[in-house]
Coordinates of all heavy atoms in Angstrom, one line a residue:
M1 N 31.7 9.9 173.2 CA 31.1 9.4 174.4 C 32.2 9.1 175.4 O 33.1 8.3 175.1 CB 30.2 8.2 174.1 CG 29.8 7.4 175.3 SD 28.5 6.2 175.0 CE 29.1 5.3 173.5
A2 N 32.3 9.7 176.6 CA 33.3 9.5 177.5 C 32.9 8.4 178.5 O 32.2 8.7 179.5 CB 33.6 10.8 178.2
I3 N 33.2 7.2 178.3 CA 32.9 6.1 179.2 C 34.1 5.9 180.1 O 35.2 5.8 179.7 CB 32.6 4.8 178.4 CG1 31.4 5.0 177.5 CG2 32.4 3.6 179.4 CD1 30.1 5.2 178.2
Q4 N 33.8 5.9 181.4 CA 34.9 5.7 182.4 C 34.2 4.9 183.6 O 33.0 4.9 183.7 CB 35.4 7.0 182.9 CG 34.4 8.0 183.4 CD 35.0 9.3 183.7 OE1 36.2 9.6 183.5 NE2 34.2 10.3 184.1
P5 N 35.1 4.4 184.5 CA 34.5 3.7 185.6 C 33.5 4.6 186.4 O 33.8 5.7 186.6 CB 35.7 3.3 186.4 CG 36.8 3.1 185.4 CD 36.5 4.2 184.4
G6 N 32.4 4.0 186.7 CA 31.4 4.7 187.4 C 30.3 5.3 186.5 O 29.2 5.6 187.0
S7 N 30.5 5.3 185.2 CA 29.5 5.8 184.3 C 28.3 4.8 184.2 O 28.5 3.6 184.5 CB 30.1 5.8 182.9 OG 31.1 6.8 182.8
F8 N 27.2 5.3 183.9 CA 26.0 4.5 183.7 C 25.7 4.4 182.3 O 25.7 5.4 181.6 CB 24.8 5.0 184.5 CG 25.0 5.0 186.0 CD1 25.4 6.1 186.7 CD2 24.8 3.8 186.7 CE1 25.6 6.0 188.1 CE2 25.1 3.7 188.0 CZ 25.4 4.8 188.8
V9 N 25.4 3.2 181.8 CA 25.2 2.9 180.4 C 24.0 2.0 180.2 O 23.5 1.4 181.1 CB 26.4 2.3 179.7 CG1 27.6 3.3 179.8 CG2 26.8 1.0 180.3
S10 N 23.5 2.0 179.0 CA 22.6 0.9 178.6 C 23.2 0.2 177.4 O 24.2 0.7 176.8 CB 21.2 1.5 178.2 OG 21.4 2.4 177.1
L11 N 22.7 -1.0 177.1 CA 23.2 -1.8 176.0 C 22.2 -1.8 174.9 O 21.0 -1.9 175.1 CB 23.4 -3.2 176.5 CG 24.4 -3.4 177.7 CD1 24.4 -4.9 178.1 CD2 25.8 -3.0 177.2
R12 N 22.7 -1.6 173.7 CA 21.9 -1.7 172.5 C 21.2 -3.1 172.4 O 20.1 -3.2 172.0 CB 22.7 -1.4 171.3 CG 23.1 0.0 171.2 CD 23.8 0.4 169.9 NE 24.2 1.8 169.8 CZ 25.4 2.2 170.0 NH1 26.4 1.4 170.2 NH2 25.6 3.5 170.0
S13 N 21.9 -4.1 172.8 CA 21.4 -5.5 172.8 C 20.4 -5.8 173.9 O 19.6 -6.7 173.8 CB 22.5 -6.5 172.8 OG 23.2 -6.4 174.0
K14 N 20.4 -5.0 175.0 CA 19.4 -5.1 176.1 C 19.0 -3.7 176.5 O 19.4 -3.2 177.6 CB 20.1 -5.8 177.3 CG 20.6 -7.2 177.0 CD 21.2 -7.8 178.2 CE 21.8 -9.2 177.8 NZ 22.5 -9.8 179.0
P15 N 18.1 -3.1 175.7 CA 17.8 -1.6 175.9 C 17.0 -1.3 177.2 O 16.9 -0.2 177.6 CB 17.0 -1.2 174.7 CG 16.5 -2.5 174.2 CD 17.5 -3.6 174.5
N16 N 16.4 -2.3 177.9 CA 15.6 -2.0 179.0 C 16.4 -2.1 180.4 O 15.8 -2.0 181.4 CB 14.4 -3.0 179.1 CG 13.5 -2.9 177.9 OD1 13.3 -1.8 177.4 ND2 12.9 -3.9 177.5
G17 N 17.7 -2.1 180.3 CA 18.5 -2.2 181.5 C 19.5 -1.0 181.7 O 19.8 -0.4 180.7
T18 N 19.9 -0.8 182.9 CA 20.9 0.2 183.2 C 22.1 -0.6 183.8 O 21.8 -1.4 184.7 CB 20.4 1.3 184.1 OG1 19.3 2.0 183.5 CG2 21.5 2.3 184.4
Y19 N 23.3 -0.2 183.5 CA 24.5 -0.9 183.9 C 25.5 0.1 184.4 O 25.6 1.2 183.8 CB 25.1 -1.8 182.8 CG 24.1 -2.8 182.3 CD1 23.2 -2.5 181.3 CD2 24.0 -4.1 182.9 CE1 22.2 -3.4 180.9 CE2 23.0 -5.0 182.5 CZ 22.1 -4.6 181.5 OH 21.2 -5.5 181.0
Q20 N 26.3 -0.3 185.4 CA 27.4 0.6 185.8 C 28.7 0.1 185.3 O 29.0 -1.1 185.4 CB 27.5 0.6 187.3 CG 28.5 1.6 187.9 CD 28.6 1.6 189.4 OE1 28.3 0.6 190.0 NE2 28.9 2.8 189.9
V21 N 29.5 0.9 184.7 CA 30.9 0.6 184.2 C 31.8 0.4 185.4 O 32.0 1.3 186.2 CB 31.4 1.6 183.2 CG1 32.8 1.3 182.8 CG2 30.4 1.8 182.1
L22 N 32.5 -0.7 185.5 CA 33.5 -1.0 186.5 C 34.9 -0.8 186.0 O 35.7 -0.4 186.8 CB 33.3 -2.4 187.0 CG 31.9 -2.8 187.6 CD1 31.9 -4.2 188.0 CD2 31.7 -1.9 188.8
N23 N 35.1 -1.2 184.8 CA 36.5 -1.0 184.2 C 36.4 -0.9 182.7 O 35.5 -1.5 182.1 CB 37.3 -2.2 184.6 CG 38.8 -2.0 184.3 OD1 39.3 -0.8 184.2 ND2 39.6 -3.1 184.2
V24 N 37.3 -0.2 182.1 CA 37.4 -0.1 180.6 C 38.7 -0.7 180.2 O 39.8 -0.4 180.7 CB 37.3 1.4 180.2 CG1 37.4 1.5 178.7 CG2 36.0 2.1 180.7
D25 N 38.7 -1.6 179.2 CA 39.9 -2.2 178.7 C 40.0 -1.8 177.2 O 39.5 -2.4 176.3 CB 39.7 -3.7 178.8 CG 41.0 -4.4 178.3 OD1 42.0 -3.8 178.0 OD2 41.0 -5.7 178.2
P26 N 40.8 -0.7 177.0 CA 40.9 -0.1 175.7 C 41.7 -1.1 174.7 O 41.5 -1.0 173.5 CB 41.7 1.1 175.9 CG 42.3 1.1 177.2 CD 41.5 0.1 178.0
A27 N 42.5 -2.0 175.3 CA 43.2 -2.9 174.4 C 42.2 -3.9 173.7 O 42.5 -4.3 172.5 CB 44.2 -3.7 175.2
S28 N 41.1 -4.3 174.4 CA 40.2 -5.2 173.8 C 38.9 -4.5 173.3 O 38.0 -5.2 172.8 CB 39.8 -6.3 174.7 OG 39.1 -5.8 175.8
D29 N 38.8 -3.2 173.6 CA 37.5 -2.5 173.3 C 36.3 -3.1 174.0 O 35.2 -3.1 173.4 CB 37.3 -2.3 171.8 CG 38.2 -1.4 171.1 OD1 38.7 -0.4 171.8 OD2 38.5 -1.5 169.9
H30 N 36.5 -3.5 175.2 CA 35.4 -4.0 176.1 C 35.4 -3.3 177.4 O 36.4 -2.7 177.8 CB 35.6 -5.5 176.3 CG 35.2 -6.4 175.2 ND1 35.8 -6.4 174.0 CD2 34.1 -7.2 175.1 CE1 35.2 -7.2 173.2 NE2 34.1 -7.7 173.8
V31 N 34.3 -3.4 178.1 CA 34.1 -2.9 179.4 C 33.6 -3.9 180.3 O 32.9 -4.9 179.9 CB 33.2 -1.6 179.5 CG1 33.8 -0.5 178.7 CG2 31.8 -2.0 179.0
W32 N 33.9 -3.8 181.6 CA 33.3 -4.7 182.6 C 32.1 -3.9 183.2 O 32.2 -2.7 183.6 CB 34.3 -5.0 183.7 CG 35.3 -6.1 183.3 CD1 36.5 -5.8 182.7 CD2 35.1 -7.5 183.4 NE1 37.1 -7.0 182.4 CE2 36.3 -8.1 182.8 CE3 34.1 -8.3 183.9 CZ2 36.4 -9.4 182.8 CZ3 34.3 -9.7 183.8 CH2 35.4 -10.2 183.2
L33 N 31.0 -4.6 183.3 CA 29.7 -4.0 183.8 C 29.1 -4.8 184.9 O 29.4 -6.0 185.1 CB 28.7 -3.9 182.6 CG 29.1 -3.2 181.4 CD1 28.1 -3.5 180.3 CD2 29.2 -1.7 181.6
R34 N 28.2 -4.1 185.6 CA 27.2 -4.8 186.5 C 25.9 -4.1 186.4 O 25.8 -2.9 186.1 CB 27.7 -4.8 188.0 CG 27.8 -3.5 188.6 CD 28.3 -3.6 190.0 NE 28.6 -2.3 190.5 CZ 29.3 -2.1 191.6 NH1 29.7 -3.1 192.3 NH2 29.6 -0.9 192.0
R35 N 24.8 -4.9 186.6 CA 23.5 -4.4 186.6 C 23.2 -3.3 187.6 O 23.8 -3.4 188.7 CB 22.5 -5.5 186.7 CG 21.0 -5.2 186.6 CD 20.7 -5.0 185.2 NE 19.3 -4.6 185.1 CZ 18.5 -5.0 184.2 NH1 18.9 -5.9 183.3 NH2 17.2 -4.6 184.1
W36 N 22.5 -2.3 187.3 CA 22.1 -1.2 188.2 C 20.6 -1.1 188.3 O 20.0 -1.2 187.2 CB 22.8 0.1 187.8 CG 22.7 1.2 188.8 CD1 21.8 2.1 188.9 CD2 23.6 1.4 189.9 NE1 22.0 2.9 190.0 CE2 23.1 2.5 190.6 CE3 24.7 0.7 190.4 CZ2 23.8 2.9 191.8 CZ3 25.4 1.1 191.5 CH2 24.9 2.2 192.2
P37 N 20.0 -0.9 189.4 CA 20.6 -0.7 190.7 C 21.1 -2.0 191.3 O 20.7 -3.1 190.9 CB 19.4 -0.2 191.5 CG 18.2 -0.7 190.9 CD 18.5 -0.8 189.4
L38 N 22.0 -1.9 192.3 CA 22.6 -3.1 192.9 C 21.5 -3.9 193.7 O 20.6 -3.3 194.2 CB 23.7 -2.7 193.8 CG 24.9 -1.9 193.2 CD1 25.9 -1.5 194.3 CD2 25.5 -2.8 192.1
R39 N 21.7 -5.2 193.6 CA 20.8 -6.0 194.4 C 21.6 -6.4 195.7 O 22.8 -6.4 195.8 CB 20.5 -7.3 193.7 CG 19.7 -7.0 192.4 CD 19.4 -8.3 191.7 NE 20.6 -8.7 191.0 CZ 20.8 -9.8 190.3 NH1 19.7 -10.5 190.0 NH2 21.9 -10.0 189.7
R40 N 20.8 -6.7 196.8 CA 21.4 -7.0 198.0 C 22.3 -8.3 198.0 O 23.3 -8.4 198.7 CB 20.4 -7.1 199.1 CG 19.7 -5.8 199.4 CD 18.7 -6.0 200.5 NE 19.2 -6.2 201.8 CZ 19.5 -5.3 202.7 NH1 19.3 -4.1 202.4 NH2 20.0 -5.6 203.9
S41 N 21.8 -9.3 197.2 CA 22.5 -10.6 197.3 C 23.6 -10.8 196.4 O 24.6 -11.3 196.7 CB 21.4 -11.7 197.1 OG 20.8 -11.5 195.8
S42 N 23.5 -10.4 195.1 CA 24.5 -10.7 194.1 C 24.5 -9.7 193.0 O 23.4 -9.2 192.6 CB 24.2 -12.1 193.5 OG 25.1 -12.3 192.5
N43 N 25.7 -9.3 192.6 CA 25.8 -8.3 191.5 C 26.9 -8.9 190.5 O 28.0 -8.4 190.5 CB 26.2 -7.0 192.0 CG 25.1 -6.4 192.9 OD1 24.1 -6.0 192.4 ND2 25.4 -6.3 194.2
P44 N 26.6 -9.9 189.7 CA 27.6 -10.4 188.8 C 28.1 -9.4 187.8 O 27.3 -8.6 187.4 CB 26.9 -11.6 188.2 CG 25.4 -11.4 188.4 CD 25.3 -10.5 189.6
T45 N 29.3 -9.6 187.5 CA 29.9 -8.7 186.4 C 30.1 -9.5 185.1 O 30.1 -10.7 185.1 CB 31.3 -8.2 186.9 OG1 32.2 -9.3 187.1 CG2 31.2 -7.4 188.2
F46 N 30.1 -8.7 184.0 CA 30.3 -9.3 182.7 C 30.9 -8.3 181.8 O 31.0 -7.1 182.1 CB 28.9 -9.8 182.2 CG 27.9 -8.7 182.0 CD1 27.8 -8.1 180.7 CD2 27.2 -8.3 183.0 CE1 26.9 -7.1 180.5 CE2 26.2 -7.3 182.8 CZ 26.1 -6.7 181.6
T47 N 31.4 -8.8 180.7 CA 32.0 -7.8 179.7 C 31.1 -7.6 178.6 O 30.2 -8.4 178.3 CB 33.4 -8.4 179.1 OG1 33.1 -9.6 178.4 CG2 34.4 -8.6 180.2
A48 N 31.3 -6.4 177.9 CA 30.5 -6.1 176.7 C 31.4 -5.2 175.9 O 32.2 -4.5 176.3 CB 29.2 -5.3 177.1
P49 N 31.2 -5.3 174.6 CA 32.0 -4.5 173.7 C 31.6 -3.0 173.8 O 30.4 -2.7 174.0 CB 31.7 -5.0 172.3 CG 30.4 -5.8 172.4 CD 30.3 -6.2 173.8
L50 N 32.5 -2.1 173.6 CA 32.2 -0.7 173.7 C 31.2 -0.3 172.6 O 30.4 0.6 172.9 CB 33.5 0.1 173.4 CG 34.5 0.3 174.6 CD1 35.8 0.8 174.2 CD2 33.8 1.1 175.7
A51 N 31.2 -0.9 171.5 CA 30.2 -0.6 170.4 C 28.8 -0.9 170.8 O 27.9 -0.3 170.2 CB 30.6 -1.4 169.2
D52 N 28.6 -1.7 171.9 CA 27.2 -2.0 172.3 C 26.7 -1.0 173.3 O 25.5 -1.2 173.8 CB 27.2 -3.5 172.9 CG 25.8 -4.0 173.0 OD1 24.9 -3.5 172.3 OD2 25.6 -4.9 173.8
L53 N 27.5 -0.1 173.8 CA 27.1 0.8 174.8 C 26.4 2.1 174.4 O 26.7 2.6 173.3 CB 28.3 1.2 175.7 CG 29.1 0.1 176.3 CD1 30.2 0.8 177.1 CD2 28.3 -0.8 177.1
E54 N 25.5 2.6 175.2 CA 24.9 3.9 175.0 C 25.0 4.6 176.4 O 24.6 4.0 177.4 CB 23.4 3.8 174.5 CG 23.3 3.2 173.2 CD 21.9 3.2 172.7 OE1 21.0 3.5 173.5 OE2 21.7 2.9 171.5
H55 N 25.4 5.8 176.4 CA 25.6 6.5 177.7 C 24.3 7.0 178.2 O 23.4 7.4 177.5 CB 26.5 7.7 177.4 CG 27.1 8.3 178.6 ND1 26.5 9.3 179.4 CD2 28.2 8.1 179.3 CE1 27.2 9.6 180.4 NE2 28.3 8.9 180.4
C56 N 24.1 6.8 179.5 CA 22.9 7.3 180.2 C 23.3 8.6 181.0 O 24.4 8.7 181.5 CB 22.4 6.3 181.2 SG 21.8 4.8 180.5
E57 N 22.4 9.5 181.1 CA 22.6 10.7 181.9 C 22.8 10.4 183.3 O 23.7 10.9 184.0 CB 21.4 11.7 181.6 CG 21.4 12.2 180.2 CD 22.6 13.0 179.9 OE1 23.1 13.8 180.7 OE2 23.1 12.8 178.8
A58 N 21.9 9.7 183.9 CA 22.0 9.3 185.4 C 21.2 8.1 185.6 O 20.3 7.8 184.9 CB 21.4 10.5 186.2
A59 N 21.5 7.4 186.7 CA 20.8 6.2 187.0 C 19.7 6.5 188.0 O 19.7 7.4 188.7 CB 21.8 5.1 187.6

């Protein structure tokens, strides 16, 4: 699975959501994500382990 900034993923721990990858940190095996689609007011970012990701075809 080729995860890179801009990719859309879902999380195994939260399968009903779509998230956009903002950054990949290979040293810690984590990525920075934000919920997709974007909201007008706030789009908080958070980290998740690479092992929790599933690649989405398109958002």
Side-chain angles (χ1 to χ4, degrees):
M1 168 170 44
I3 299 295
Q4 57 188 357
S7 296
F8 293 101
V9 298
S10 62
L11 299 174
R12 290 185 178 104
S13 60
K14 298 179 184 179
N16 294 330
T18 301
Y19 303 87
Q20 183 181 33
V21 176
L22 300 176
N23 192 23
V24 179
D25 182 5
S28 68
D29 286 334
H30 279 72
V31 295
W32 283 92
L33 303 168
R34 67 179 167 194
R35 183 77 184 219
W36 192 264
L38 298 177
R39 294 180 287 183
R40 292 181 71 92
S41 60
S42 174
N43 296 292
T45 61
F46 62 96
T47 62
L50 282 169
D52 194 23
L53 302 184
E54 292 184 353
H55 196 272
C56 293
E57 291 299 315

